[in-house]
Amino acid sequence: MRVCILLAVCRLNPLHCCTTASCPATPPIIHTPSPPPHTRDCTGPSPCTSLLKLQEEEQQYRTSSLPAIPNPFPELCSPASSPTLSSGAKGLDSRDSSTLIIIKVFSEDGMGKVVEIPADMTARDLCQFLVYKNHCVDDNSWALVEHHPALGLERCLEDHELVVQVQASMTSESKFLFRKNYAKYEFFKNPLNFFPEQMVAFCQETSGTIPPSQLLQNFLNSSSCPEIQGYLYVKEMGRKSWKKLYVFLRRSGLYFSTKGTSKEPRHLQLLADLEDSNVFTVITGRKLHNAPTDFEFCIKPNKVRNEVKELRMLCAEDEQSRTCWMTAFRLFKYGILLYQNYKIPQQRKTLLSHFSAPVRSVSENSLVAMDFSGRIGRVIDNPVEAQSAAMEEGHAWRRMNILGSPSPLHPSSLSGVIHRTQLWFHGRISREESHKMIHQQGRVDGMFLLRDSQSNPKAFVLTLCHHQKIKHFQILPCEEDGQMFLSLDDGATKFTDLIQLVEFYVLNRGVLPCKLKHPCTTVAL
């Protein structure tokens, strides 16, 4: 019996909100059902020069042929010296939205997209535009990455940073990457995981446990003076040698003590300034700089382009220490702006929550479940029969192959390939590549991906991040009553395919250290 269930989807018009960027108390709320008005994809055709010239001449002719009409309300006009009427004012305002700049953004596979953006476009705006253009899931975890291959450095732009200003400090070899970053604001949710008490000075001075709210308040409040302290390996300028120094990170800059762990001003020397610098992750590995550990990072002055000797190379003892130093650098540099960037998606979600309740339209109320198995279609009045028909339709869908046609093969053949359409499956990549992908996208609890096993061609591997450590779990096939299943706990819990396995561990921790939460995905622009 073939049953067809007619469904309807009720769409709501998105809510538009307009705010000014000059008001820090109420940060702008961005909704992106459509691309920004001044942003366009440069891959389409452009008008030829002759046509533009003809249009300009026609406009001049029309303007000169019209009689001069006096202004009846001169008192409402701006003075002649006003920037509104001044043609040279555009050059003075770096955030003039009428000026369009061409930039190129790359994805993880090396493919790029050329877009034309206004000069006042922020990194968040550009990410939302790329999400719209590429039909990505807008989960507020996408980021724009500043990548310097010659220096082996990269960093995620803050949401409020102007893309054009960042591009002005980049070289021709540098580029922007469009990538996931789940850890961008994770420290607001779990601050104690990012700031160990032994590294925060005021936590030791109070000699007690600091509540997370107070910990963040001290970092965000400009009047308070928190301090990150601890040992770091510091590379000497212009040399290959490293020194282990006791370092202090304050709002005024990064300092090291010339006498043990002394904090006296006469024993402190400035290592790097925060105002005109940014903190980067070193992606070239420890061999290039002969680093003592794998947890290397760098403070790069904005004026520096390709001069490696001008970089301040640093190295931490472990991943948690490096994350603490880099997160504190961002907080000291931007302060309350980071918190406003973090709250914008939540404010948007709160505003849209009023429309989250399903609203049935007039046309939807007229739709009913139908049975077309006979010569004449009939309405299914019994709700139990309608529900069973819907379940049967769902099972029929799972027997469809990737192209949507009925598969003549055994249903188990679909289980062997359907997972390859999922964003969390990355095929035959190595363990090192899976480590790199998870590290690039944030190292937060629950980040995961699935891949083919390199040691067993019939098995798969679940790569999972927990407490900033990456663990691997092998998924092995098992047979029961002549049917093949998949399991990662030696057959105690069996699944027909990888999709069913992932859906189970999203809801249940089982034998894993945590639930599956953030799929490690890539997008092709």
Side-chain angles (χ1 to χ4, degrees), residues 12-58:
L12 295 174
N13 291 329
L15 179 64
H16 295 273
C17 179
C18 179
T19 57
T20 57
S22 61
C23 180
T26 57
I29 301 175
I30 303 172
H31 305 281
T32 320
S34 60
H38 297 293
T39 308
R40 67 183 182 92
D41 195 341
C42 290
T43 56
S46 58
C48 60
T49 308
S50 58
L51 180 60
L52 293 176
K53 184 176 181 181
L54 182 62
Q55 292 176 349
E56 292 177 359
E57 292 177 354
E58 183 180 358

Side-chain angles (χ1 to χ4, degrees), residues 476-521:
L476 297 174
C478 59
E479 186 176 355
E480 181 179 325
D481 299 332
Q483 187 175 357
M484 297 301 298
F485 296 93
L486 296 172
S487 177
L488 56 75
D489 54 5
D490 297 329
T493 312
K494 297 180 287 293
F495 307 94
T496 58
D497 54 47
L498 290 180
I499 296 180
Q500 192 180 61
L501 182 145
V502 169
E503 290 176 349
F504 175 82
Y505 287 106
V506 166
L507 302 175
N508 308 275
R509 191 183 74 175
V511 296
L512 300 177
C514 63
K515 297 178 184 179
L516 305 183
K517 188 176 181 182
H518 303 294
C520 189
T521 63

Side-chain angles (χ1 to χ4, degrees), residues 371-382:
D371 177 12
F372 295 102
S373 58
R375 292 184 178 180
I376 301 177
R378 69 180 181 90
V379 177
I380 303 178
D381 296 323
N382 189 349

Side-chain angles (χ1 to χ4, degrees), residues 332-500:
F332 287 155
K333 180 177 175 66
Y334 297 109
I336 196 65
L337 279 175
L338 291 187
Y339 186 71
Q340 293 174 355
N341 294 339
Y342 164 67
K343 296 296 291 184
I344 285 177
Q346 298 184 4
Q347 294 171 354
R348 179 178 63 180
K349 184 177 180 180
T350 302
L351 290 174
L352 295 179
S353 64
H354 300 286
F355 304 94
S356 60
V359 180
R360 297 177 63 89
S361 62
V362 176
S363 59
E364 185 181 356
N365 289 326
S366 62
L367 298 181
V368 294
M370 297 289 295
D371 177 12
F372 295 102
S373 58
R375 292 184 178 180
I376 301 177
R378 69 180 181 90
V379 177
I380 303 178
D381 296 323
N382 189 349
V384 178
E385 183 184 359
Q387 185 177 3
S388 62
M391 294 179 62
E392 182 179 346
E393 192 75 14
H395 290 305
W397 177 87
R398 290 189 66 84
R399 291 194 294 269
M400 304 288 282
N401 61 12
I402 299 175
L403 298 178
S405 59
S407 176
L409 304 178
H410 192 270
S412 61
S413 62
L414 179 62
S415 303
V417 295
I418 193 173
H419 57 267
R420 299 188 180 276
T421 63
Q422 303 302 306
L423 297 176
W424 39 255
F425 188 78
H426 295 272
R428 195 171 180 79
I429 64 173
S430 64
R431 176 185 288 247
E432 291 73 20
E433 289 175 318
S434 65
H435 277 242
K436 179 181 177 182
M437 292 182 63
I438 289 185
H439 176 74
Q440 289 176 341
Q441 298 190 20
R443 280 182 179 265
V444 298
D445 288 354
M447 180 181 292
F448 73 98
L449 63 85
L450 272 76
R451 56 188 175 89
D452 290 317
S453 174
Q454 293 184 319
S455 58
N456 187 349
K458 296 183 179 181
F460 304 94
V461 177
L462 169 65
T463 303
L464 177 65
C465 182
H466 181 246
H467 288 172
Q468 297 188 346
K469 295 182 180 179
I470 302 175
K471 302 180 180 180
H472 305 271
F473 302 88
Q474 197 168 39
I475 303 172
L476 297 174
C478 59
E479 186 176 355
E480 181 179 325
D481 299 332
Q483 187 175 357
M484 297 301 298
F485 296 93
L486 296 172
S487 177
L488 56 75
D489 54 5
D490 297 329
T493 312
K494 297 180 287 293
F495 307 94
T496 58
D497 54 47
L498 290 180
I499 296 180
Q500 192 180 61

Side-chain angles (χ1 to χ4, degrees), residues 43-341:
T43 56
S46 58
C48 60
T49 308
S50 58
L51 180 60
L52 293 176
K53 184 176 181 181
L54 182 62
Q55 292 176 349
E56 292 177 359
E57 292 177 354
E58 183 180 358
Q59 182 66 25
Q60 292 177 0
Y61 173 77
R62 291 179 178 179
T63 305
S64 59
S65 60
L66 293 176
I69 301 177
N71 186 2
F73 305 105
E75 65 276 4
L76 299 181
C77 292
S78 302
S81 60
S82 172
T84 306
L85 301 179
S86 176
S87 60
K90 295 182 180 180
L92 300 177
D93 187 7
S94 61
R95 301 193 58 172
D96 182 13
S97 60
S98 63
T99 303
L100 297 179
I101 308 296
I102 295 178
I103 68 166
K104 192 171 185 179
V105 184
F106 292 83
S107 57
E108 297 292 342
D109 58 0
M111 300 301 293
K113 178 182 284 292
V114 177
V115 293
E116 197 173 41
I117 66 171
D120 62 346
M121 174 167 276
T122 63
R124 180 192 290 274
D125 294 340
L126 182 55
C127 287
Q128 296 252 328
F129 171 72
L130 295 174
V131 165
Y132 167 83
K133 291 289 293 183
N134 295 279
H135 309 287
C136 304
V137 178
D138 187 10
D139 55 359
N140 302 306
S141 60
W142 294 100
L144 197 65
V145 179
E146 179 184 353
H147 180 76
H148 299 273
L151 300 176
L153 307 176
E154 68 179 25
R155 75 174 181 100
C156 289
L157 270 67
E158 305 297 344
D159 285 342
H160 64 272
E161 288 190 80
L162 300 182
V163 179
V164 174
Q165 287 186 358
V166 176
Q167 183 178 244
S169 63
M170 298 167 59
T171 63
S172 58
E173 297 179 352
S174 304
K175 55 186 179 181
F176 289 119
L177 302 177
F178 183 55
R179 178 193 297 164
K180 286 271 191 179
N181 183 16
Y182 291 106
K184 185 162 54 172
Y185 301 119
E186 188 69 16
F187 58 90
F188 284 119
K189 305 174 184 178
N190 303 297
L192 297 181
N193 295 339
F194 285 79
F195 302 105
E197 292 186 359
Q198 67 272 13
M199 296 185 63
V200 184
F202 68 84
C203 289
Q204 294 184 351
E205 294 172 359
T206 56
S207 65
T209 303
I210 302 296
S213 58
Q214 183 180 349
L215 178 64
L216 286 175
Q217 186 176 3
N218 280 275
F219 277 107
L220 297 175
N221 191 358
S222 58
S223 61
S224 60
C225 299
E227 187 177 275
I228 301 297
Q229 59 189 15
Y231 283 100
L232 280 177
Y233 295 96
V234 182
K235 186 178 181 182
E236 298 187 71
M237 301 291 285
R239 299 183 180 181
K240 296 183 178 180
S241 58
W242 294 73
K243 283 187 177 181
K244 189 175 183 180
L245 303 173
Y246 201 75
V247 183
F248 305 91
L249 180 60
R250 301 172 177 174
R251 297 189 188 277
S252 56
L254 185 67
Y255 303 85
F256 75 95
S257 177
T258 59
K259 187 176 181 181
T261 60
S262 174
K263 293 185 180 181
E264 296 185 20
R266 58 193 181 95
H267 294 150
L268 297 182
Q269 289 190 12
L270 181 67
L271 273 175
D273 186 17
L274 276 64
E275 184 66 25
D276 298 322
S277 304
N278 282 300
V279 61
F280 286 78
T281 302
V282 180
I283 59 176
T284 52
R286 57 188 298 184
K287 293 184 178 180
L288 180 63
H289 303 286
N290 196 26
T293 71
D294 293 323
F295 312 104
E296 192 176 1
F297 64 103
C298 168
I299 296 179
K300 174 183 173 295
N302 296 334
K303 62 180 180 180
V304 174
R305 291 183 176 266
N306 273 337
E307 298 82 1
V308 180
K309 62 181 180 179
E310 298 294 332
L311 303 177
R312 179 57 71 182
M313 308 299 297
L314 306 165
C315 209
E317 293 283 358
D318 50 41
E319 182 63 37
Q320 187 182 34
S321 300
R322 176 171 68 172
T323 304
C324 178
W325 288 105
M326 297 181 68
T327 305
F329 185 100
R330 294 171 57 203
L331 279 170
F332 287 155
K333 180 177 175 66
Y334 297 109
I336 196 65
L337 279 175
L338 291 187
Y339 186 71
Q340 293 174 355
N341 294 339

